[in-house]
Amino acid sequence: MEDINGDLNANSRCQSTGDPQLDKAVHQWLTWDKNQWTRAQVESLVAANRLDDLRKRLCSRMSFGTAGLRAPMGAGFNRINDLTIIQSTQGLYAYLSRYFADFSSRGVVVGFDTRGQEESGCSSERLAKLTAAVMLSRDVPVHLFSAFVPTPYVPYAVKKLGAAAGVMITASHNPKEDNGYKVYWSNGAQISSPHDKEILRSIEEQLEPWSSSCWDEELVENSSMRTDPLTQINSCYMDELSSLCFHRDLNTSCPLKFVHSSFQGVGHVFVQQAFQTFGFTPPIPVPEQKDPDPNFSSVRCPNPEEGESVLELSLLLAEKENARIVLATDPDADRLAVAEKSDGCSWKVFTGNELAALLGWWMFFNWKEAHPDPADSQKVYMLATTVSSKILRAFAQIEGFHFEETLPGFKWIGNRIHELSKTGNSVIFSFEESIGFLCGNLVPDKDGVSSAAVVAEMAAYLHNKSLSLNQQLHNIYQIYGCHVSKTSYVICNDPPTIQKIFSRIRNFDSERSYPKTCGGVRIIHVRDVTTGYDSSQPDLRSVLPVARSSQMITFTLQNGVVATLRTSGTEPKIKYYTEYCAAPGHSEVSSLEEELRKITAALVDEFLEPERNNLIRRCI
């Protein structure tokens, strides 16, 4: 990319908008921003008198959601660009230097994915180098990966290298227009409260770029305080990954063929290596999707969670190659989708909850083989976010290990893993329903690379027993009870409408009164994590931490259905989750599914009112 530091005298030529507050924001932007493309974007908006657009971009700032800072790339204080990344890193530096006495020796890890936007002069690699430049300008050691890596490599490196923190430049599975700034604490988990709020406060105190060094990508190449951890971390990761391999001999002779799509992101090389670590022949890559492409040209949406509609090329290749299993990692390789060829010609695309049932069973099955003493299970845990399936709870009740729920977002799981490890406990499996899995505790974050290898081994083992993944899933339901779930969303691009929807739910029939029925079925408990209310608790207080910055209400119905409405922390969506948990031996899956379908439809229509509120229903 050419030198993007543009003409700084342009500020003096910029006309007034007629709004003094907006003029001040424009002046501030043009005074500080040295990127010629993002400067030009602001200048052209001023020239075109697009004041609403300017206000949206310049009169608010980003905040930390469930995955750090995430926003569209482009000019503006509430977007991802050179200036906001420099500002964020200055704030991060200020907070870390106050918190860690040894910060200047521990340093930070910085990684990046393959995103980019030409019209903003913005790429993940450039933003990672600017992140490094800010730290290096203050004589802080930086472990900057020299090439793109999966997101889990950053928290893994933080722990392995003893760094104070880590930053990953990624927007994961978001649309191509977006990018993000994901921060990890010294324990390898994503930052949570109070660190996120304190870092935001520090950012707001450090808005003006310190010096021209902060814009100097060359610092990365010339500074003796910059190291490249890629070779060491990749080698260590693959070595430790072998601890999750339980049947290597079986893998080496496995007749199954696998197809893998990396969704035009970072995953191809790393999944190939992970398969080799497990003794497998590497999976067959989808040729159109194995190499990085920031435009994601071959997919309608770079999110494998969307299912069969975005897995089309993978499934076509699998048919051609006679492969029974398709694996798809999202663009930053921290999540995994799986599909299996059913008898006949159809494909079964597993939901995140179904895959978790299989992986949870598999991890405990192999743990039990190595620990036959039932007393050992007292130190074993599995974790899931509260909007995910309760299937692990059913496992724990029957098998005698511990299960805990966390708030949505893997940052809560990562931090809980750290806390449990301090008291000698072992977390052998964790998940969130949005196809985020962690087998073992190799990394305190979700990991699509290791999960892909583990799923392949599980499939190989089951194939050797003449079982498919789907057949084993039904075996699990027979033993632990059928868990039928539905997860989807509506899109709402107007934040006041979201506030109005949730306010109506909290004042449904009268003031401070939640709905009493859903689809004609009585609601017996309501938990509102946003306000801290839980009708099932003696003191009416939620056991989960209060999360006032987002909306989340859970309803427990008389028929056993659990339904949750929540806002996304990364996208303009209201998500809804419903699950029917049946007792062991209950095999009438179709009747459970029909009942759940009715409740889910009523939840959306009665509580969200999509037509009245101009919500966009998910296209499947």
PDB file of all heavy atoms in Angstrom, residues 47-69:
ATOM      1  N   ALA A  47     -18.404  18.596   2.268  1.00  0.00           N
ATOM      2  CA  ALA A  47     -18.693  19.287   1.007  1.00  0.00           C
ATOM      3  C   ALA A  47     -20.098  18.974   0.506  1.00  0.00           C
ATOM      4  O   ALA A  47     -20.777  19.832  -0.073  1.00  0.00           O
ATOM      5  CB  ALA A  47     -17.653  18.895  -0.037  1.00  0.00           C
ATOM      6  N   ALA A  48     -20.547  17.728   0.747  1.00  0.00           N
ATOM      7  CA  ALA A  48     -21.882  17.317   0.285  1.00  0.00           C
ATOM      8  C   ALA A  48     -22.970  17.673   1.303  1.00  0.00           C
ATOM      9  O   ALA A  48     -24.145  17.351   1.086  1.00  0.00           O
ATOM     10  CB  ALA A  48     -21.886  15.814   0.013  1.00  0.00           C
ATOM     11  N   ASN A  49     -22.558  18.283   2.427  1.00  0.00           N
ATOM     12  CA  ASN A  49     -23.497  18.706   3.478  1.00  0.00           C
ATOM     13  C   ASN A  49     -24.286  17.520   4.060  1.00  0.00           C
ATOM     14  O   ASN A  49     -25.454  17.655   4.431  1.00  0.00           O
ATOM     15  CB  ASN A  49     -24.467  19.768   2.935  1.00  0.00           C
ATOM     16  CG  ASN A  49     -25.016  20.640   4.062  1.00  0.00           C
ATOM     17  OD1 ASN A  49     -24.296  20.945   5.017  1.00  0.00           O
ATOM     18  ND2 ASN A  49     -26.278  21.028   3.970  1.00  0.00           N
ATOM     19  N   ARG A  50     -23.610  16.364   4.152  1.00  0.00           N
ATOM     20  CA  ARG A  50     -24.266  15.167   4.698  1.00  0.00           C
ATOM     21  C   ARG A  50     -24.071  15.156   6.214  1.00  0.00           C
ATOM     22  O   ARG A  50     -23.242  14.416   6.769  1.00  0.00           O
ATOM     23  CB  ARG A  50     -23.721  13.920   4.024  1.00  0.00           C
ATOM     24  CG  ARG A  50     -24.192  13.809   2.572  1.00  0.00           C
ATOM     25  CD  ARG A  50     -23.541  12.681   1.820  1.00  0.00           C
ATOM     26  NE  ARG A  50     -23.742  11.380   2.451  1.00  0.00           N
ATOM     27  CZ  ARG A  50     -23.225  10.256   1.987  1.00  0.00           C
ATOM     28  NH1 ARG A  50     -22.486  10.263   0.881  1.00  0.00           N
ATOM     29  NH2 ARG A  50     -23.428   9.109   2.617  1.00  0.00           N
ATOM     30  N   LEU A  51     -24.831  15.989   6.877  1.00  0.00           N
ATOM     31  CA  LEU A  51     -24.620  16.244   8.305  1.00  0.00           C
ATOM     32  C   LEU A  51     -24.994  15.056   9.184  1.00  0.00           C
ATOM     33  O   LEU A  51     -24.316  14.769  10.173  1.00  0.00           O
ATOM     34  CB  LEU A  51     -25.403  17.497   8.734  1.00  0.00           C
ATOM     35  CG  LEU A  51     -25.112  18.791   7.946  1.00  0.00           C
ATOM     36  CD1 LEU A  51     -25.727  19.986   8.652  1.00  0.00           C
ATOM     37  CD2 LEU A  51     -23.603  19.001   7.782  1.00  0.00           C
ATOM     38  N   ASP A  52     -26.072  14.355   8.834  1.00  0.00           N
ATOM     39  CA  ASP A  52     -26.466  13.193   9.652  1.00  0.00           C
ATOM     40  C   ASP A  52     -25.383  12.130   9.625  1.00  0.00           C
ATOM     41  O   ASP A  52     -25.061  11.527  10.665  1.00  0.00           O
ATOM     42  CB  ASP A  52     -27.794  12.603   9.155  1.00  0.00           C
ATOM     43  CG  ASP A  52     -28.982  13.480   9.546  1.00  0.00           C
ATOM     44  OD1 ASP A  52     -28.789  14.350  10.424  1.00  0.00           O
ATOM     45  OD2 ASP A  52     -30.075  13.295   8.975  1.00  0.00           O
ATOM     46  N   ASP A  53     -24.834  11.899   8.444  1.00  0.00           N
ATOM     47  CA  ASP A  53     -23.757  10.912   8.301  1.00  0.00           C
ATOM     48  C   ASP A  53     -22.536  11.337   9.118  1.00  0.00           C
ATOM     49  O   ASP A  53     -21.914  10.533   9.815  1.00  0.00           O
ATOM     50  CB  ASP A  53     -23.390  10.750   6.824  1.00  0.00           C
ATOM     51  CG  ASP A  53     -22.680   9.419   6.540  1.00  0.00           C
ATOM     52  OD1 ASP A  53     -22.330   8.723   7.501  1.00  0.00           O
ATOM     53  OD2 ASP A  53     -22.497   9.095   5.357  1.00  0.00           O
ATOM     54  N   LEU A  54     -22.198  12.618   9.037  1.00  0.00           N
ATOM     55  CA  LEU A  54     -21.070  13.142   9.811  1.00  0.00           C
ATOM     56  C   LEU A  54     -21.301  12.976  11.312  1.00  0.00           C
ATOM     57  O   LEU A  54     -20.387  12.588  12.050  1.00  0.00           O
ATOM     58  CB  LEU A  54     -20.828  14.615   9.482  1.00  0.00           C
ATOM     59  CG  LEU A  54     -20.085  14.909   8.170  1.00  0.00           C
ATOM     60  CD1 LEU A  54     -20.219  16.377   7.809  1.00  0.00           C
ATOM     61  CD2 LEU A  54     -18.604  14.516   8.283  1.00  0.00           C
ATOM     62  N   ARG A  55     -22.509  13.290  11.769  1.00  0.00           N
ATOM     63  CA  ARG A  55     -22.803  13.155  13.207  1.00  0.00           C
ATOM     64  C   ARG A  55     -22.664  11.707  13.665  1.00  0.00           C
ATOM     65  O   ARG A  55     -22.125  11.426  14.735  1.00  0.00           O
ATOM     66  CB  ARG A  55     -24.219  13.664  13.509  1.00  0.00           C
ATOM     67  CG  ARG A  55     -24.345  15.176  13.453  1.00  0.00           C
ATOM     68  CD  ARG A  55     -25.698  15.662  13.965  1.00  0.00           C
ATOM     69  NE  ARG A  55     -25.837  17.085  13.708  1.00  0.00           N
ATOM     70  CZ  ARG A  55     -26.488  17.612  12.676  1.00  0.00           C
ATOM     71  NH1 ARG A  55     -27.074  16.806  11.787  1.00  0.00           N
ATOM     72  NH2 ARG A  55     -26.560  18.915  12.502  1.00  0.00           N
ATOM     73  N   LYS A  56     -23.185  10.775  12.841  1.00  0.00           N
ATOM     74  CA  LYS A  56     -23.074   9.354  13.197  1.00  0.00           C
ATOM     75  C   LYS A  56     -21.616   8.924  13.317  1.00  0.00           C
ATOM     76  O   LYS A  56     -21.246   8.155  14.196  1.00  0.00           O
ATOM     77  CB  LYS A  56     -23.777   8.489  12.137  1.00  0.00           C
ATOM     78  CG  LYS A  56     -25.295   8.518  12.225  1.00  0.00           C
ATOM     79  CD  LYS A  56     -25.908   7.708  11.097  1.00  0.00           C
ATOM     80  CE  LYS A  56     -27.423   7.849  11.081  1.00  0.00           C
ATOM     81  NZ  LYS A  56     -28.027   7.217   9.891  1.00  0.00           N
ATOM     82  N   ARG A  57     -20.783   9.438  12.424  1.00  0.00           N
ATOM     83  CA  ARG A  57     -19.378   9.025  12.398  1.00  0.00           C
ATOM     84  C   ARG A  57     -18.528   9.724  13.471  1.00  0.00           C
ATOM     85  O   ARG A  57     -17.582   9.128  13.985  1.00  0.00           O
ATOM     86  CB  ARG A  57     -18.767   9.331  11.025  1.00  0.00           C
ATOM     87  CG  ARG A  57     -19.261   8.440   9.895  1.00  0.00           C
ATOM     88  CD  ARG A  57     -18.775   8.991   8.572  1.00  0.00           C
ATOM     89  NE  ARG A  57     -19.179   8.184   7.432  1.00  0.00           N
ATOM     90  CZ  ARG A  57     -18.381   7.341   6.765  1.00  0.00           C
ATOM     91  NH1 ARG A  57     -17.124   7.182   7.144  1.00  0.00           N
ATOM     92  NH2 ARG A  57     -18.826   6.677   5.723  1.00  0.00           N
ATOM     93  N   LEU A  58     -18.839  10.981  13.751  1.00  0.00           N
ATOM     94  CA  LEU A  58     -17.913  11.794  14.540  1.00  0.00           C
ATOM     95  C   LEU A  58     -18.398  12.149  15.942  1.00  0.00           C
ATOM     96  O   LEU A  58     -17.599  12.618  16.756  1.00  0.00           O
ATOM     97  CB  LEU A  58     -17.605  13.102  13.788  1.00  0.00           C
ATOM     98  CG  LEU A  58     -16.879  12.944  12.445  1.00  0.00           C
ATOM     99  CD1 LEU A  58     -16.798  14.286  11.725  1.00  0.00           C
ATOM    100  CD2 LEU A  58     -15.482  12.369  12.639  1.00  0.00           C
ATOM    101  N   CYS A  59     -19.669  11.961  16.242  1.00  0.00           N
ATOM    102  CA  CYS A  59     -20.204  12.435  17.528  1.00  0.00           C
ATOM    103  C   CYS A  59     -20.465  11.320  18.541  1.00  0.00           C
ATOM    104  O   CYS A  59     -21.153  11.518  19.537  1.00  0.00           O
ATOM    105  CB  CYS A  59     -21.472  13.248  17.298  1.00  0.00           C
ATOM    106  SG  CYS A  59     -21.132  14.770  16.365  1.00  0.00           S
ATOM    107  N   SER A  60     -19.944  10.144  18.289  1.00  0.00           N
ATOM    108  CA  SER A  60     -20.009   9.057  19.279  1.00  0.00           C
ATOM    109  C   SER A  60     -18.781   8.178  19.102  1.00  0.00           C
ATOM    110  O   SER A  60     -18.097   8.255  18.074  1.00  0.00           O
ATOM    111  CB  SER A  60     -21.287   8.233  19.102  1.00  0.00           C
ATOM    112  OG  SER A  60     -21.298   7.600  17.832  1.00  0.00           O
ATOM    113  N   ARG A  61     -18.498   7.351  20.124  1.00  0.00           N
ATOM    114  CA  ARG A  61     -17.331   6.486  20.069  1.00  0.00           C
ATOM    115  C   ARG A  61     -17.752   5.031  20.212  1.00  0.00           C
ATOM    116  O   ARG A  61     -18.839   4.723  20.708  1.00  0.00           O
ATOM    117  CB  ARG A  61     -16.342   6.838  21.191  1.00  0.00           C
ATOM    118  CG  ARG A  61     -15.774   8.252  21.093  1.00  0.00           C
ATOM    119  CD  ARG A  61     -14.551   8.394  21.983  1.00  0.00           C
ATOM    120  NE  ARG A  61     -13.463   7.521  21.542  1.00  0.00           N
ATOM    121  CZ  ARG A  61     -12.631   7.821  20.539  1.00  0.00           C
ATOM    122  NH1 ARG A  61     -12.735   8.962  19.889  1.00  0.00           N
ATOM    123  NH2 ARG A  61     -11.682   6.981  20.192  1.00  0.00           N
ATOM    124  N   MET A  62     -16.860   4.132  19.789  1.00  0.00           N
ATOM    125  CA  MET A  62     -17.107   2.703  19.955  1.00  0.00           C
ATOM    126  C   MET A  62     -16.972   2.316  21.427  1.00  0.00           C
ATOM    127  O   MET A  62     -16.266   2.970  22.184  1.00  0.00           O
ATOM    128  CB  MET A  62     -16.083   1.893  19.139  1.00  0.00           C
ATOM    129  CG  MET A  62     -16.163   2.087  17.655  1.00  0.00           C
ATOM    130  SD  MET A  62     -14.827   1.194  16.807  1.00  0.00           S
ATOM    131  CE  MET A  62     -13.386   2.176  17.255  1.00  0.00           C
ATOM    132  N   SER A  63     -17.653   1.221  21.813  1.00  0.00           N
ATOM    133  CA  SER A  63     -17.460   0.677  23.158  1.00  0.00           C
ATOM    134  C   SER A  63     -17.223  -0.826  23.050  1.00  0.00           C
ATOM    135  O   SER A  63     -17.519  -1.442  22.022  1.00  0.00           O
ATOM    136  CB  SER A  63     -18.678   0.963  24.045  1.00  0.00           C
ATOM    137  OG  SER A  63     -19.833   0.390  23.477  1.00  0.00           O
ATOM    138  N   PHE A  64     -16.694  -1.424  24.124  1.00  0.00           N
ATOM    139  CA  PHE A  64     -16.378  -2.848  24.102  1.00  0.00           C
ATOM    140  C   PHE A  64     -17.648  -3.673  24.221  1.00  0.00           C
ATOM    141  O   PHE A  64     -18.400  -3.552  25.191  1.00  0.00           O
ATOM    142  CB  PHE A  64     -15.426  -3.199  25.253  1.00  0.00           C
ATOM    143  CG  PHE A  64     -14.009  -2.789  24.996  1.00  0.00           C
ATOM    144  CD1 PHE A  64     -13.504  -1.622  25.536  1.00  0.00           C
ATOM    145  CD2 PHE A  64     -13.179  -3.562  24.204  1.00  0.00           C
ATOM    146  CE1 PHE A  64     -12.186  -1.229  25.303  1.00  0.00           C
ATOM    147  CE2 PHE A  64     -11.863  -3.178  23.958  1.00  0.00           C
ATOM    148  CZ  PHE A  64     -11.367  -2.010  24.506  1.00  0.00           C
ATOM    149  N   GLY A  65     -17.906  -4.528  23.216  1.00  0.00           N
ATOM    150  CA  GLY A  65     -19.030  -5.461  23.259  1.00  0.00           C
ATOM    151  C   GLY A  65     -18.532  -6.837  23.654  1.00  0.00           C
ATOM    152  O   GLY A  65     -17.497  -6.986  24.300  1.00  0.00           O
ATOM    153  N   THR A  66     -19.270  -7.886  23.235  1.00  0.00           N
ATOM    154  CA  THR A  66     -18.888  -9.256  23.597  1.00  0.00           C
ATOM    155  C   THR A  66     -17.601  -9.681  22.909  1.00  0.00           C
ATOM    156  O   THR A  66     -17.011 -10.689  23.261  1.00  0.00           O
ATOM    157  CB  THR A  66     -20.004 -10.256  23.222  1.00  0.00           C
ATOM    158  OG1 THR A  66     -20.342 -10.072  21.847  1.00  0.00           O
ATOM    159  CG2 THR A  66     -21.227 -10.052  24.080  1.00  0.00           C
ATOM    160  N   ALA A  67     -17.150  -8.928  21.906  1.00  0.00           N
ATOM    161  CA  ALA A  67     -15.923  -9.306  21.198  1.00  0.00           C
ATOM    162  C   ALA A  67     -14.989  -8.109  21.017  1.00  0.00           C
ATOM    163  O   ALA A  67     -14.334  -7.982  19.997  1.00  0.00           O
ATOM    164  CB  ALA A  67     -16.275  -9.916  19.856  1.00  0.00           C
ATOM    165  N   GLY A  68     -14.957  -7.216  21.989  1.00  0.00           N
ATOM    166  CA  GLY A  68     -14.075  -6.059  21.890  1.00  0.00           C
ATOM    167  C   GLY A  68     -14.715  -4.942  21.100  1.00  0.00           C
ATOM    168  O   GLY A  68     -15.937  -4.804  21.055  1.00  0.00           O
ATOM    169  N   LEU A  69     -13.883  -4.103  20.476  1.00  0.00           N
ATOM    170  CA  LEU A  69     -14.385  -3.039  19.611  1.00  0.00           C
ATOM    171  C   LEU A  69     -14.646  -3.626  18.229  1.00  0.00           C
ATOM    172  O   LEU A  69     -13.784  -4.307  17.680  1.00  0.00           O
ATOM    173  CB  LEU A  69     -13.346  -1.911  19.494  1.00  0.00           C
ATOM    174  CG  LEU A  69     -12.900  -1.239  20.798  1.00  0.00           C
ATOM    175  CD1 LEU A  69     -11.772  -0.249  20.512  1.00  0.00           C
ATOM    176  CD2 LEU A  69     -14.057  -0.532  21.481  1.00  0.00           C
TER     177      LEU A  69
END
